[in-house]
Amino acid sequence: KKAAADPRLDELMNLVMLRRGTIQEENAEDIKKFLAEEYAKERRVTLARAVKDAEMSGDEALVGSALQEFHNHIGYEEKIKKEI
C-alpha cells in the first residue's frame, strides 16, 4: 500500500473503500490522484480568497500570514504534481 503525501487523502480513500467495498489497486491510485488535484484546487481558491479578504481589511500582519500560507500551499501543489 502506497501512502499519499497528505494523510487526509489516505483517510478519504479509506472511507471510499469502506463505502464501495474493495477497489482495484490501479483504480485506487487514480482516485488518489484525482482527489489530490481537486483538494489542491479548492485549497488554492480558499487561500486566494483569504489573501484578498486580508488585503481588504488593511491588516498587514494578516496579509503577510495569508500570503505565507498561500505560498506554502503552492509548494504543496508542486510536490503533489511531482508525485503524479
Side-chain angles (χ1 to χ4, degrees), residues 20-31:
R20 306 255 319 147
T22 304
I23 58 176
Q24 295 178 353
E25 186 64 30
E26 61 272 7
N27 291 340
E29 290 303 314
D30 289 341
I31 292 170

Side-chain angles (χ1 to χ4, degrees), residues 2-68:
K2 188 176 177 183
D6 188 333
R8 292 173 290 190
L9 292 176
D10 282 332
E11 184 178 326
L12 189 54
M13 278 302 300
N14 289 336
L15 289 173
V16 168
M17 287 191 287
L18 285 174
R19 290 186 183 199
R20 306 255 319 147
T22 304
I23 58 176
Q24 295 178 353
E25 186 64 30
E26 61 272 7
N27 291 340
E29 290 303 314
D30 289 341
I31 292 170
K32 279 185 180 182
K33 289 175 186 177
F34 174 76
L35 290 173
E37 290 170 357
E38 289 302 308
Y39 167 78
K41 287 178 196 176
E42 288 294 322
R43 185 73 176 139
R44 186 178 343 113
V45 168
T46 300
L47 291 172
R49 189 176 309 121
V51 170
K52 182 178 178 181
D53 291 347
E55 288 173 341
M56 299 281 286
S57 76
D59 183 342
E60 291 300 317
L62 188 58
V63 171
S65 176
L67 282 172
Q68 182 62 47

